[in-house]
């Protein structure tokens, strides 16, 4: 049947290539607008077409609790456009669709062939390590280099660059703990990524990596935690010895003042928020510029969608972490949940755009959620396949 051929070609050939292009595009696409188009044309649109013609293949994924939590949150966010101040930008209605296509695509690839999904994410991680090496070499080879490494390709800002490379650093950190296979290569890639993170001068990824290590210590109850603690202690000591003046000189960068002012502006629209399209202007004494985001993704959610939306947002993570704890013996769960922890904690000190077109923040939010959804869906399929055998017995 032609619908089956379309789906088969999509899962076996098109989607694997599109996913690698998406995960690595930031490193080699010259402009962010081209990165958007790359995602739309290679992943989002083909997935939408396949869902339209072969939607029955996705029935299991759309019934997963994590996916349903996302749909509820996304619908509420879109409804909040109705009470946004001024003339709402209804083009933003497309943003949840972009995210939904990513969740469906990754989950379906995991359900169909989890081994291939793991290999593709690993390949993207290798490319990230090579991109980090090239960036480091170019940075040190530039006599007029900036104080902080800014990034190559579509990456141009030290902090945003750290979001993407930090995701892959957390990936290899968790991979080291989930399996001893090829540990030497994993360690080298992790070290390269951490070195680049130090060169960006950003503190956010290190705070998130510390949280990731803490999560791994909780999840792993064997002697691997000793090696993890020793390795991370050595990396932290070396980094602070070499880069301490750069990392610590900026203090808290006005974060407590920014969060307090954001919360003050949340109060007038406490329950339902100011609306998804509502902007925020934050004035901090001592800063010479106006800030346009709360530097905290969760506060950004609450500002625009209120405590109700914030509760839905936190429910996504709560369910993800609880499900990860219940399946903590799985190496795949260890990796996907660590990426979730990394992204959630990194988002506590940066950003405000939680539902946007594909960009750096997706590596903190939606890509980890998509990978965790794929792992949970694969586990569900495994449980479903055992039911007939148990009944027959």
């Amino acid at each position: 049947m032609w619908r089956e051929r379309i789906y088969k070609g999509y899962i076996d050939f098109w989607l694997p290539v599109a996913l690698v292009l998406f995960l690595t595009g930031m490193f080699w696409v010259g402009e962010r607008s081209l990165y958007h188009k790359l995602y739309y044309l290679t992943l989002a649109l083909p997935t939408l077409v396949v869902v339209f013609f072969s939607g029955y293949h996705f029935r299991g994924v759309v019934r997963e609790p994590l996916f349903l939590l996302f749909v509820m949150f996304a619908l509420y966010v879109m409804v909040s456009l109705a009470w946004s101040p001024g003339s709402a930008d209804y083009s933003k209605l497309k943003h949840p669709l972009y995210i939904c296509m990513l969740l469906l695509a990754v989950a379906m690839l995991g359900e169909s062939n989890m081994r291939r999904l793991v290999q593709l994410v690993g390949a993207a991680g290798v490319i990230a390590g090579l991109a980090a090496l090239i960036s480091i070499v170019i940075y040190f080879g530039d006599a007029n280099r900036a104080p902080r490494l800014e990034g190559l390709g579509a990456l141009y800002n030290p902090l945003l660059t750290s979001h993407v490379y930090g995701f892959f650093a957390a990936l290899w950190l968790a991979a080291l703990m989930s399996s001893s296979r090829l540990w030497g290569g994993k360690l080298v890639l992790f070290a390269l990524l951490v070195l680049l993170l130090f060169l960006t001068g950003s503190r956010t990824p290190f705070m998130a990596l510390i949280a990731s290590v803490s999560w791994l210590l909780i999840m792993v109850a064997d002697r691997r935690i000793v090696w993890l603690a020793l390795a991370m202690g050595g990396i932290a000591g070396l980094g602070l010895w070499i880069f301490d003046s750069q990392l610590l000189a900026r203090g808290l960068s006005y974060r407590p003042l920014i969060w307090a002012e954001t919360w003050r502006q949340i109060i007038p629209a406490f329950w339902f928020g100011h609306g998804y399209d509502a902007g925020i202007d934050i004035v901090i004494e001592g800063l010479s510029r106006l800030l346009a985001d709360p530097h905290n993704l969760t506060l950004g959610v609450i500002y625009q969608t209120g405590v109700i939306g914030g509760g839905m947002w936190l429910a996504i993570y709560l369910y993800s972490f609880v499900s990860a704890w219940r399946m903590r013996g799985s190496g795949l769960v260890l990796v996907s949940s660590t990426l979730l922890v990394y992204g959630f904690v990194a988002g506590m000190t940066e950003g405000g755009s939680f539902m946007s077109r594909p960009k750096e923040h997706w590596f903190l939010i939606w890509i980890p959620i998509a990978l965790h959804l794929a792992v949970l869906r694969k586990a569900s399929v495994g449980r479903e396949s055992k039911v007939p055998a148990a009944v027959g017995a």
Side-chain angles (χ1 to χ4, degrees):
M1 188 176 181
W2 64 272
R3 286 188 176 89
E4 283 298 315
R5 289 197 295 270
I6 290 177
Y7 177 76
K8 191 72 174 173
Y10 165 79
I11 285 291
D12 291 343
F13 302 105
W14 187 277
L15 182 55
V17 175
L19 185 59
V20 172
L21 292 177
F22 171 62
L23 291 175
T24 64
M26 279 283 179
F27 306 134
W28 49 268
V29 169
E31 299 178 11
R32 185 181 296 196
S33 61
L34 293 178
Y35 183 69
H36 296 160
K37 293 173 183 175
L38 174 73
Y39 174 73
Y40 301 151
L41 295 177
T42 64
L43 202 154
L45 181 59
T47 301
L48 183 62
V49 171
V50 172
V51 170
F52 181 78
F53 286 112
S54 305
Y56 53 91
H57 283 289
F58 297 82
R59 288 177 298 184
V61 174
V62 299
R63 290 198 297 264
E64 284 293 322
L66 182 55
F67 183 80
L68 293 175
L69 286 170
F70 161 74
V71 170
M72 290 172 58
F73 174 68
L75 289 174
Y76 178 76
V77 170
M78 293 301 98
V79 169
S80 75
L81 279 170
W83 58 82
S84 293
S87 178
D89 182 6
Y90 288 100
S91 67
K92 289 189 174 182
L93 290 171
K94 295 181 293 186
H95 294 175
L97 183 62
Y98 299 150
I99 297 167
C100 185
M101 293 303 103
L102 174 68
L103 298 181
L104 291 176
V106 175
M108 283 309 302
L109 182 57
E111 178 181 328
S112 173
N113 193 334
M114 178 57 74
R115 181 182 179 87
R116 175 169 290 185
L117 176 60
V118 171
Q119 291 172 340
L120 293 174
V121 175
V126 172
I127 294 172
L130 294 174
L133 177 60
I134 294 170
S135 298
I136 291 168
V137 170
I138 292 175
Y139 179 73
F140 280 117
D142 184 0
N144 300 315
R145 60 179 177 267
R148 300 170 64 184
L149 187 149
E150 297 177 349
L152 300 175
L155 300 169
Y156 64 93
N157 176 283
L159 178 59
L160 299 179
T161 297
S162 75
H163 290 345
V164 180
Y165 283 106
F167 165 87
F168 287 105
L171 171 69
W172 288 121
L173 172 66
L176 279 165
M177 296 299 293
S178 66
S179 171
S180 60
R181 184 172 177 268
L182 301 174
W183 68 270
K186 296 174 185 176
L187 187 60
V188 169
L189 290 166
F190 177 67
L192 282 172
L193 292 163
V194 169
L195 175 57
L196 183 138
L197 293 176
F198 274 120
L199 293 174
T200 65
S202 300
R203 282 84 49 88
T204 293
F206 293 103
M207 181 188 68
L209 283 175
I210 290 172
S212 300
V213 170
S214 301
W215 175 256
L216 288 169
L217 292 175
I218 294 171
M219 293 281 280
V220 178
D222 58 36
R223 64 183 180 181
R224 287 177 291 173
I225 64 175
V226 177
W227 296 109
L228 175 63
L230 289 174
M232 293 307 297
I235 290 171
L238 181 62
L240 290 175
W241 178 54
I242 299 174
F243 299 99
D244 65 325
S245 60
Q246 298 179 33
L247 291 175
L248 303 179
R250 300 196 307 276
L252 297 178
S253 299
Y254 298 96
R255 290 298 190 276
L257 296 175
I258 295 170
W259 298 334
E261 174 60 20
T262 301
W263 191 254
R264 186 189 67 80
Q265 296 189 39
I266 286 172
I267 297 301
F270 183 75
W271 291 107
F272 299 103
H274 295 274
Y276 175 49
D277 198 32
I280 186 171
D281 293 330
I282 300 174
V283 178
I284 300 297
E285 185 177 352
L287 279 178
S288 58
R289 67 183 188 278
L290 190 70
L291 299 177
D293 73 70
H295 288 67
N296 184 306
L297 286 171
T298 300
L299 283 180
V301 171
I302 297 173
Y303 175 80
Q304 292 190 336
T305 66
V307 172
I308 293 176
M312 293 180 178
W313 166 265
L314 293 176
I316 293 173
Y317 285 97
L318 180 61
Y319 176 81
S320 298
F321 294 140
V322 170
S323 63
W325 175 254
R326 289 173 176 169
M327 296 187 290
R328 59 189 179 276
S330 166
L332 292 175
V333 170
L334 196 65
V335 174
S336 64
S337 63
T338 301
L339 292 174
L340 278 170
V341 169
Y342 177 87
F344 181 75
V345 175
M348 295 302 288
T349 61
E350 266 310 322
S353 179
F354 56 92
M355 191 169 284
S356 64
R357 293 179 294 175
K359 61 178 184 178
E360 295 87 351
H361 289 89
W362 278 37
F363 286 83
L364 301 183
I365 310 170
W366 302 116
I367 295 175
I369 289 175
L371 292 173
H372 195 59
L373 173 63
V375 171
L376 296 182
R377 177 57 194 157
K378 187 64 175 179
S380 297
V381 171
R383 288 193 298 268
E384 292 167 2
S385 65
K386 292 178 182 178
V387 171
V391 173

